């Protein structure tokens, strides 16, 4: 069974008691609830007068699509890896690793654009404040970069205390939004002609209700930003307090808390999405939503200033700026939880990638670059954000469909399959209409894969075995040889008949002038999944044909397994073992590629190089002989 490899944030439950689910909901709510800062404006631009109807479609998809999917993801993958871990278990070899890297690319797109888009929208609220416009206008990129740098500074100092800040920010922001929504609804009710005018305009524009619903289904993918927050909801699961009897294998209390978190957040957000889209569509002139308009990217702030005065509007702006700025915290937490779980384990990142602070610096630098490329523009980043969100939700829906099918749950399988089709359709429409999103996602994917492969290439000669375990027979073989020179023969298992071992033994003795009385033990490595980087090494002792002793190993790489075995035998016996090889025929470069991709190739020199890197003292290094 594969060991669980936690990321830095996964250590939270072990390091401290954890937090109540509603407090952690505020952490993921930084991302989810903060979209109210720009979601109503985006909905108005995408759907126009039809915005409330399209938002209702979004809410239905949220409550009856995304929510059931992620409640199942929380059950199947409770350590914060999300649907990526579920899909990883279905695929092996390089196709599985590349598939996971692709999903990580979209996750990076989602989370990083969350950081940059939220910071850019916080800047928009700051710059568009009537009291600050003249002073700050034209400095959007600089302000956004400073906000991102400040966020990175929070993570460099430490993030555990940030949950308390998240609770305060989310509580204040939702309370202010309740006031804005209540006042907006009051003004709509107090002027009945507003609803009548909207209804008449809607009928004139779209005809009958059936056509309206049809158009809403078509434009709904453009509102996909309102689905954000589910992936971060499961990414921060390790912070949720579990039951006293929870274990890492069965964290029942944590799963229950995560499900409450996801459900409560979805219900709260659904209420706000419907009410805010309704009041902003009815009370704000359409041209104010356009680029340069006072409601562009800040529709609710526009209403706060319009109906509650400059003082309240400025307080609302301040709250919105704070939550949008700190919305990047949940995204940063998600990235710091995901990346260290996969890349170092795949050999596709240096060991320091498991540390929080270096990763924060790297991610902050990338966020600076994205902000500069997009000129801190909220609308320009919307397509990339929606693409990242939808790809991850689609992959989650597919993963839980497969999980339900394997569990024999026919009803859930059909339900999740239908949900998967809805999200795949939504993703396809979004990509077709906003191809810039998938292009940006492709850049992240290409960057991750390129850097990952270069990192793995640079680490090709590392000792990649985490632990060596001998069975009783193997340990007896080594113990029997320990009172004299330990001589091992590297053998590539073929037919494993008597002639194979007899001929190999004769050849090795002749090539290396080994006396007939000296003991020789065969070592055979079977490569299972060459794409794995780190793994345990289990050594099994066998006696074949009543005379030939064999140490049988399974590993992702022949040279690494042999080097780890030699070092372990040395430490176990206090002697320097000798291992004998044959030269491999073929082009050296082609043999190196075979080693890099398939764990085989030119075994002797690579084994020697792994030993050289692992043991710099030549007097303690096991001996390698090639004939």
């Amino acid at each position: 069974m594969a060991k669980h490899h936690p990321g830095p944030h996964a250590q939270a439950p072990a390091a401290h008691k954890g937090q109540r689910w509603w407090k952690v909901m505020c952490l993921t709510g930084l991302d989810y609830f903060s979209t109210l800062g720009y979601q109503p404006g985006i909905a108005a631009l995408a759907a126009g007068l039809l915005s409330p109807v399209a938002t209702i479609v979004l809410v239905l998809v949220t409550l009856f699509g995304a929510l059931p999917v992620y409640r199942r993801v929380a059950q199947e993958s409770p350590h914060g890896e999300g649907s990526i871990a579920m899909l990883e278990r279905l695929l092996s070899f390089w196709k599985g690793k590349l598939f996971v890297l692709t999903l990580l690319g979209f996750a990076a797109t989602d989370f990083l654009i969350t950081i940059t888009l939220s910071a850019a929208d916080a800047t928009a609220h700051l710059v568009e404040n009537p009291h600050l416009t003249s002073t700050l206008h034209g400095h959007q990129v600089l302000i956004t970069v400073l906000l991102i740098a400040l966020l990175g500074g929070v993570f460099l100092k430490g993030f555990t205390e940030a949950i308390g800040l998240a609770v305060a920010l989310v509580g204040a922001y939702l309370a202010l939004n309740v006031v804005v929504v209540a006042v907006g609804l009051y003004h709509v009710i107090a002027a009945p002609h507003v609803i009548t005018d909207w209804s008449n305009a809607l009928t004139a524009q779209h005809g009958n209700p059936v056509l309206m619903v049809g158009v809403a289904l078509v434009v709904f993918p453009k509102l996909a930003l309102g689905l954000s927050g589910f992936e971060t909801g499961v990414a921060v699961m390790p912070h949720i307090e579990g039951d006293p009897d929870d274990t890492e294998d069965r964290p029942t209390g944590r799963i229950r808390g995560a499900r409450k978190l996801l459900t409560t957040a979805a219900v709260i957000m659904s209420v706000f999405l419907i009410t805010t889209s309704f009041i902003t569509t009815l009370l704000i002139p359409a041209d104010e939503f356009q680029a340069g308009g006072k409601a562009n990217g800040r529709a609710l702030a526009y209403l706060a200033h319009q109906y509650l005065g400059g003082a309240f509007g400025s307080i609302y702006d301040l709250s919105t700026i704070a939550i949008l700025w700190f919305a990047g915290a949940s995204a940063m937490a998600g990235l710091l939880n995901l990346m260290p779980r996969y890349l170092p384990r795949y050999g596709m990142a240096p060991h320091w990638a498991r540390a929080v602070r270096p990763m924060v610096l790297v991610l902050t630098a990338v966020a600076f670059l994205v902000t500069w490329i997009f000129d801190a523009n909220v609308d320009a980043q919307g397509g990339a954000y929606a693409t990242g969100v939808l790809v991850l939700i689609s992959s989650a829906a597919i993963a839980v469909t497969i999980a339900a099918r394997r569990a024999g749950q026919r009803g859930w399988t059909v339900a999740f399959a239908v949900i998967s089709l809805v999200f795949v359709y939504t993703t396809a429409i979004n990509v077709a209409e906003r191809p810039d999103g998938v292009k940006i996602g492709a850049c992240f994917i290409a960057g991750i894969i390129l850097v990952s492969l270069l990192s793995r290439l640079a680490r090709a000669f590392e000792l990649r075995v985490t632990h060596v375990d001998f069975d009783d027979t193997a340990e007896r073989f080594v113990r029997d040889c320990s009172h004299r020179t330990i001589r091992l023969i590297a053998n590539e298992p073929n037919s494993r008949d008597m002639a194979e071992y007899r001929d190999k033994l004769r050849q090795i003795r002749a090539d290396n002038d080994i006396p007939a009385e000296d003991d020789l033990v065969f070592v055979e490595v079977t490569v299972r999944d060459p794409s794995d980087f780190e793994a345990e090494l289990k050594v099994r002792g066998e006696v074949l044909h009543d005379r030939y002793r064999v140490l049988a190993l399974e590993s992702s790489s022949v040279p690494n397994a042999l080097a780890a075995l030699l070092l372990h035998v040395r430490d176990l016996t206090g002697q320097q073992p000798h291992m004998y090889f044959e030269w491999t025929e073929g082009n050296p470069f082609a043999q190196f590629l075979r080693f890099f991709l398939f764990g085989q190739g030119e075994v002797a020199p690579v084994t020697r190089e792994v030993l050289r890197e692992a043991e710099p003292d030549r007097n303690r290094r096991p001996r390698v002989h090639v004939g």
Side-chain angles (χ1 to χ4, degrees):
M1 181 177 176
K3 280 192 170 184
H4 174 61
H5 295 263
H9 286 273
Q11 299 299 334
H16 59 83
K17 190 179 177 183
Q19 301 284 347
R20 300 292 299 274
W21 66 266
W22 58 270
K23 291 185 177 181
V24 182
M25 182 189 74
C26 291
L27 176 61
T28 187
L30 291 168
D31 173 19
Y32 199 17
F33 300 143
S34 68
T35 58
L36 290 171
Y38 46 82
Q39 175 70 16
I42 289 175
L45 284 174
L49 294 172
L50 206 59
S51 174
V53 180
T55 301
I56 290 173
V57 174
L58 173 67
V59 166
L60 291 175
V61 172
T62 298
L63 296 178
F64 299 102
L67 179 58
V69 164
Y70 277 94
R71 283 173 61 90
R72 182 63 177 256
V73 170
Q75 176 185 327
E76 298 281 344
S77 184
H79 301 293
E81 308 100 318
S83 58
I84 296 177
M86 296 174 64
L87 291 169
E88 182 194 25
R89 292 194 289 265
L90 303 174
L91 297 169
S92 59
F93 297 96
W94 283 106
K95 62 183 179 182
K97 303 295 186 293
L98 292 174
F99 182 72
V100 168
L101 289 176
T102 300
L103 287 181
L104 285 176
F106 282 112
T109 304
D110 179 7
F111 292 147
L112 268 170
I113 298 295
T114 296
I115 296 170
T116 59
L117 185 146
S118 298
D121 199 47
T123 300
H125 280 77
L126 190 63
V127 171
E128 294 298 328
N129 184 283
H131 305 294
L132 300 173
T133 299
S134 58
T135 305
L136 300 180
H137 188 74
H139 301 290
Q140 286 89 333
V141 173
L142 177 61
I143 296 170
T144 303
V145 166
L146 289 175
L147 289 175
I148 293 171
L150 188 59
L151 178 68
V154 171
F155 277 84
L156 289 175
K157 186 176 181 181
F159 188 61
T160 303
E161 297 78 10
I163 290 182
L165 179 57
V167 172
L169 289 176
V170 169
Y173 183 67
L174 292 182
L176 290 171
N177 273 289
V178 168
V179 174
V180 174
V181 168
V183 170
L185 290 174
Y186 168 78
H187 280 278
V188 169
I189 295 170
H193 69 87
V194 172
I195 297 178
T196 305
D197 292 345
W198 170 70
S199 176
N200 292 336
L202 195 60
T203 304
Q205 190 175 93
H206 297 288
N208 61 64
V210 175
L211 185 59
M212 293 179 194
V213 173
V215 174
L217 290 172
V218 172
V219 301
F220 146 72
K222 297 179 180 179
L223 280 63
L225 292 180
L227 290 166
S228 70
F230 284 102
E231 197 68 32
T232 48
V234 293
V236 299
M237 274 187 71
H239 288 287
I240 298 175
E241 177 186 36
D243 293 337
D245 57 348
D246 272 8
T247 64
E248 281 302 295
D249 291 331
R250 296 181 62 84
T252 307
R254 186 194 300 173
I255 293 171
R256 185 173 60 252
R259 287 180 155 189
K260 290 179 181 178
L261 179 158
L262 293 167
T263 303
T264 305
V267 171
I268 291 173
M269 191 61 176
S270 295
V271 172
F272 273 113
L273 284 173
I274 292 174
T275 53
T276 56
S277 69
F278 182 69
I279 62 174
T280 53
T281 303
L282 269 64
L283 296 177
I284 300 177
D287 57 346
E288 295 289 1
F289 290 110
Q290 302 301 319
K294 294 181 180 179
N296 181 253
R298 55 190 305 276
L300 293 176
Y302 175 93
L303 292 180
H305 281 276
Q306 183 78 11
Y307 293 110
L308 291 162
F312 183 90
S314 294
I315 293 172
Y316 184 86
D317 281 339
L318 183 62
S319 174
T320 306
I321 290 164
I323 194 172
L324 283 167
W325 162 68
F326 212 53
S330 59
M332 185 76 83
L335 282 169
L336 292 174
N337 192 48
L338 277 178
M339 296 300 180
R341 289 179 182 274
Y342 294 98
L343 297 184
R345 180 158 55 93
Y346 289 177
M348 292 179 169
H351 286 297
W352 58 257
R354 285 192 172 103
V356 172
R357 286 181 174 84
M359 281 296 291
V360 169
L361 292 173
V362 171
L363 295 172
T364 302
V366 175
F368 288 165
L369 179 62
V370 171
T371 298
W372 176 70
I373 291 173
F374 286 103
D375 198 31
N377 187 295
V378 175
D379 296 334
Q381 299 177 68
Y385 186 30
T387 299
V389 169
L390 288 171
V391 168
L392 291 178
I393 293 181
S394 298
S395 68
I398 293 169
V400 298
T401 302
I402 296 171
R405 185 174 182 275
R406 288 189 168 186
Q409 300 169 328
R410 190 167 184 176
W412 278 116
T413 302
V414 173
F416 286 136
V418 172
I419 294 171
S420 298
L421 290 174
V422 171
F423 284 121
V424 169
Y425 154 79
T426 306
T427 305
I429 295 297
N430 184 78
V431 169
E433 293 188 351
R434 293 189 283 184
D436 57 311
V438 78
K439 290 175 184 176
I440 295 164
C443 291
F444 277 104
I445 293 166
I448 286 177
I449 291 178
L450 178 61
V451 172
S452 297
L453 292 177
L454 290 175
S455 175
R456 179 150 177 156
L457 188 63
R459 300 178 63 192
F461 300 115
E462 279 187 18
L463 189 65
R464 291 146 42 176
V465 174
T466 57
H467 178 70
V468 181
D469 183 34
F470 278 39
D471 71 2
D472 293 339
T473 305
E475 195 169 331
R476 187 173 70 250
F477 290 170
V478 173
R479 190 173 60 248
D480 290 347
C481 298
S482 62
H483 63 280
R484 50 190 178 274
T485 302
I486 301 173
R487 302 186 189 275
L488 307 172
I489 300 175
N491 182 55
E492 184 176 355
N494 294 309
S495 59
R496 303 192 87 195
D497 58 12
M498 182 179 288
E500 177 182 334
Y501 295 102
R502 183 187 63 236
D503 295 343
K504 184 80 170 185
L505 198 60
R506 185 184 300 124
Q507 179 187 342
I508 292 295
R509 288 190 187 277
D511 289 346
N512 297 276
D513 295 325
I514 300 175
E517 63 271 13
D518 280 17
D519 263 349
L520 287 166
V521 177
F522 290 92
V523 180
E524 297 178 346
V525 182
T526 302
V527 176
R528 293 300 182 195
D529 185 350
S531 64
D532 285 340
F533 191 76
E534 295 178 342
E536 289 188 7
L537 188 66
K538 294 189 179 296
V539 185
R540 187 179 69 256
E542 300 178 354
V543 178
L544 299 181
H545 312 296
D546 297 323
R547 59 186 302 180
Y548 300 112
R549 289 169 296 173
V550 179
L551 296 176
L553 298 72
E554 291 185 359
S555 177
S556 60
S557 168
V558 174
N560 262 274
L562 296 177
L565 174 70
L566 289 169
L567 291 169
H568 187 75
V569 168
R570 180 203 65 184
D571 295 340
L572 200 64
T573 63
Q575 291 195 44
Q576 286 177 279
H578 296 247
M579 181 163 280
Y580 299 88
F581 295 86
E582 290 182 55
W583 285 113
T584 304
E585 295 293 329
N587 181 280
F589 181 72
Q591 293 298 334
F592 175 75
L593 285 179
R594 283 189 66 211
F595 159 68
F596 181 72
L597 295 174
F598 306 114
Q600 301 182 46
E602 186 59 87
V603 175
V606 177
T607 302
R608 194 263 177 192
E609 183 61 20
V610 174
L611 287 169
R612 189 184 69 81
E613 288 203 4
E615 178 52 79
D617 187 351
R618 295 185 64 178
N619 296 321
R620 300 192 68 245
R621 194 182 301 154
R623 302 295 190 230
V624 171
H625 307 268
V626 189

